[in-house]
Amino acid sequence: MLSASQKHILLAIARGYRLKDHRDIEGNKVFILHAPDESGEPVAREDVETLVDLGLISSNKKFPSATYWLTPAGQALAQQIAID
């Protein structure tokens, strides 16, 4: 079962937000959920990793900033959560 913060990320991506990781020169990652107005909200690395491990989101694995999207399983779950 997903946590509230994981559901928030999944639904935000489904609504057009962009989840990106940003790396600094030392290779540290920060995950930011970018709204359509370009404002950003940091999200927990653990939540992103859980969603990736569950196969609900994937990324383009680019450096220094990867973009994440919903997989078909993530899309289906986001639709189900939005209905509930």
Side-chain angles (χ1 to χ4, degrees):
M1 175 166 260
L2 297 181
S3 69
S5 57
Q6 292 161 352
K7 288 178 185 177
H8 170 72
I9 294 168
L10 205 65
L11 289 173
I13 296 171
R15 293 180 182 128
Y17 284 58
R18 288 175 296 119
L19 176 60
K20 298 185 87 168
D21 68 34
H22 302 274
R23 295 180 197 221
D24 62 21
I25 195 81
E26 288 85 29
N28 301 311
K29 277 190 203 178
V30 176
F31 294 87
I32 306 288
L33 196 54
H34 296 275
D37 68 3
E38 297 304 320
S39 63
E41 165 192 353
V43 295
R45 174 187 199 107
E46 296 80 15
D47 287 337
V48 174
E49 289 173 349
T50 296
L51 294 172
V52 169
D53 290 346
L54 292 172
L56 300 174
I57 62 174
S58 188
S59 80
N60 60 5
K61 298 168 181 56
K62 295 222 174 178
F63 181 84
S65 181
T67 301
Y68 293 76
W69 57 81
L70 297 177
T71 63
Q75 292 172 355
L77 185 55
Q79 289 175 353
Q80 180 182 348
I81 292 169
I83 293 170
D84 292 341

